[in-house]
Amino acid sequence: MADNNLKDIDIFDVSQMEIVMKGGDPSKACYRNINTSSSLIRGELSSSEKSKIKNYTVLNTSEFEKNCNALYETAETEFSAIAKELRELKDKCGKDVFSLNEETMQDDFEEVAKAIENYLLQISEYTNALIAKGKSVSSKQEVVYENTVRWMNILYEKNKPKVEMYTNPQNLTVIK
């Protein structure tokens, strides 16, 4: 990078971000013919362009957290129902039904139910850790996104054509 303010910083690939700004997908070859930064002459990125880049590059933590919690709630519902059903089966059958050589299986049913509840606790802890990791990744992506936008604005500003006003029309050359 030529600008000392942005030396040795992480940025996203500018040519790919230009594809994203135009509504394309950098992973699809059919969108790769869009102008690159060296041929684009423009000013600062518009808020719409910034938004497209951000939506493509930065994890939406609220949506991510919502999806993680929805998965946990599904697991909680299913696992709790299984543990409840095991306990109901144990109580319904009575200990004599499960006796074998005067050993009962009722304790085994309770042990399995408790193990299922323990798995649910582990899923809860994992879900919370996953959400925290997502937030951490998103904040790092946000920094790289901001660096990329700044770099693109500097790049475009350097490639912007210079418009000069002449007070004396005789200085202008007419090409025919």
Side-chain angles (χ1 to χ4, degrees):
M1 287 179 221
D3 192 281
N4 287 335
N5 295 334
L6 296 170
K7 191 175 183 177
D8 299 326
I9 62 165
D10 290 332
I11 65 169
F12 294 113
D13 184 285
V14 171
S15 61
Q16 289 185 353
M17 294 307 99
E18 288 173 337
I19 293 168
V20 169
M21 286 168 21
K22 301 236 186 264
D25 182 349
S27 65
K28 296 188 175 156
C30 61
Y31 288 106
R32 292 200 183 272
N33 292 331
I34 295 175
N35 292 340
T36 61
S37 61
S38 59
S39 63
L40 273 179
I41 299 175
R42 47 181 303 141
E44 270 195 35
L45 296 178
S46 69
S47 57
S48 167
E49 291 169 328
K50 289 178 189 176
S51 178
K52 285 179 184 178
I53 292 172
K54 185 172 186 174
N55 291 342
Y56 184 80
T57 58
V58 179
L59 176 68
N60 179 337
T61 53
S62 60
E63 190 66 28
F64 178 72
E65 188 171 355
K66 180 179 144 195
N67 291 337
C68 287
N69 286 330
L71 289 171
Y72 170 73
E73 289 167 12
T74 300
E76 181 183 38
T77 302
E78 297 298 322
F79 279 50
S80 296
I82 292 168
K84 181 181 176 192
E85 193 172 331
L86 281 170
R87 288 187 174 113
E88 287 173 357
L89 278 171
K90 174 190 79 166
D91 294 341
K92 195 183 283 185
C93 294
K95 74 178 187 178
D96 292 336
V97 175
F98 295 110
S99 290
L100 182 63
N101 297 334
E102 300 199 23
E103 291 180 17
T104 181
M105 288 181 61
Q106 279 190 316
D107 292 339
D108 295 335
F109 270 76
E110 186 60 30
E111 189 177 317
V112 171
K114 285 181 180 178
I116 287 172
E117 290 170 342
N118 190 38
Y119 288 138
L120 188 56
L121 180 62
Q122 290 174 4
I123 291 170
S124 173
E125 291 170 355
Y126 180 75
T127 301
N128 291 335
L130 189 60
I131 290 169
K133 178 74 171 180
K135 288 179 179 180
S136 171
V137 166
S138 180
S139 66
K140 290 174 186 172
Q141 289 172 329
E142 182 80 30
V143 169
V144 178
Y145 154 76
E146 289 169 1
N147 290 341
T148 304
V149 168
R150 231 180 15 192
W151 171 246
M152 291 173 83
N153 283 336
I154 289 169
L155 183 68
Y156 295 149
E157 193 61 37
K158 286 181 179 179
N159 288 324
K160 196 166 143 180
K162 303 239 184 312
V163 177
E164 296 179 22
M165 294 292 291
Y166 289 100
T167 55
N168 184 353
Q170 287 116 6
N171 290 344
L172 299 176
T173 307
V174 178
I175 301 174
K176 292 185 182 182

